[in-house]
Amino acid sequence: MPAASSDEWSYNAGVIVARLPIFLRRTIRISLLALHLAWGVTLAGLAFPLFSPAQRDRLIMTWSQRLLRVLGVQAHVAAAPSLPGGALLVCNHVSWLDIYLIYAAQRVHFVSKSEVRAWPVAGWLAHKTGTLFLERGRRADTARVNAEMRVLMQSGAWVAVFPEGTTSDGRGLRRFLPSLLQPAVELNCPIVPAALRYRTLGNEYSAAPAYIDEMSMWQSFRQIIGEPGLIAELHFGEPILPTGHRRDLAAQAEAATAHLLGLRISAGASADTEQRTPADPPA
């Protein structure tokens, strides 16, 4: 089937599913997800060893794009900057969906909390796609992950981090922590700021993807697939050259991400609270 026809079929199928009662909508999406995960496990377990790194990268991006469609998410992604070598991508963090939204636009190696490795299926797939797992709060583990990041970026790969250190509801932005920016400073690799947000099909703010507070993975998943549909947007800023201290670079990257989100600094905001508040969206 030609690519255009396939995209049109996916769109029409998504419209039909969006109009169904929530029970049927969830049932269909869970069934499609089970098939999609089975395909992913087969690819990662059997096909990956037979493919070149470039072919694996394309498979990861294609699989992620289709995963979003299965979940009823329309991905509106901008083109990532074209760079000659490795880079460090920094982005705000709302949901576990963020990973697949970024994968849909750019092949990266994520730095993720170690707890993700224990997630059924998803943790194994994350490991197979080259995710680096960090035990938060352990200084020695940060040094280990920084060393692994350096190796990847030296080889020309992109590494992605969520420097807020946690998820938010997507309406604000927390202070960017600088510790995982050190490899870019040492290698003089560009830092690429990015911003993502989620909207309803009516183009309003959506809290459905927010994976926050004490919410379980299952609760988050049911919330997402229960929606008629979602629009996920991803934008990239201009690369930042790492010419200063990592704290200054974290502040620059945070300001760039805030600009992409159309947020402004709240005067006198505490470092432990969200420092950015809604402003007029950027043109």
Side-chain angles (χ1 to χ4, degrees), residues 104-217:
Q106 176 69 32
R107 170 62 168 126
V108 301
H109 295 263
F110 282 97
V111 176
S112 180
K113 61 183 181 180
S114 58
E115 293 89 338
V116 172
R117 181 67 179 88
W119 288 1
V121 185
W124 182 83
L125 286 173
H127 168 69
K128 298 297 286 186
T129 54
T131 297
L132 308 179
F133 296 103
L134 171 68
E135 291 189 37
R136 296 179 296 181
R138 287 189 58 209
R139 188 182 297 271
D141 210 49
T142 300
R144 175 189 64 81
V145 169
N146 277 342
E148 294 179 359
M149 291 169 63
R150 283 194 295 272
V151 171
L152 286 167
M153 287 190 289
Q154 279 181 314
S155 72
W158 283 40
V159 177
V161 299
F162 297 115
E164 291 172 285
T166 186
T167 52
S168 74
D169 65 5
R171 288 179 291 189
L173 189 66
R174 299 180 187 274
R175 182 173 64 91
F176 276 16
L177 304 175
S179 58
L180 292 175
L181 273 62
Q182 184 61 30
V185 174
E186 295 174 358
L187 296 175
N188 198 35
C189 277
I191 297 169
V192 180
L196 52 83
R197 76 178 95 205
Y198 297 94
R199 299 186 182 277
T200 65
L201 294 180
N203 208 33
E204 301 292 333
Y205 161 78
S206 175
Y211 187 34
I212 54 176
D213 301 327
E214 300 302 317
M215 181 181 291
S216 69
M217 180 66 175

Side-chain angles (χ1 to χ4, degrees), residues 37 40 69 89 92 120 140 146 174 208 225 234-235 237 243 251 273 277:
L37 287 175
R69 289 200 292 268
L89 177 71
N92 64 309
N146 277 342
R174 299 180 187 274
I225 63 172
L234 176 64
H235 299 279
T243 55
T273 61
T277 55

Side-chain angles (χ1 to χ4, degrees), residues 21-22 25-26 29 71 221-229:
I22 188 170
R25 194 156 60 229
R26 283 175 170 159
R29 286 175 177 163
L71 296 175
F221 172 68
R222 289 186 75 252
Q223 191 164 279
I224 289 168
I225 63 172
E227 291 292 300

Side-chain angles (χ1 to χ4, degrees), residues 83-100:
L83 298 171
L88 179 65
L89 177 71
V90 296
C91 189
N92 64 309
H93 197 15
V94 177
S95 172
W96 51 270
L97 278 180
D98 302 350
I99 293 169
Y100 305 104

Side-chain angles (χ1 to χ4, degrees), residues 40-56:
V41 169
T42 302
L43 285 175
L46 299 178
F48 269 22
L50 305 177
F51 293 144
S52 69
Q55 289 173 319
R56 289 198 294 269

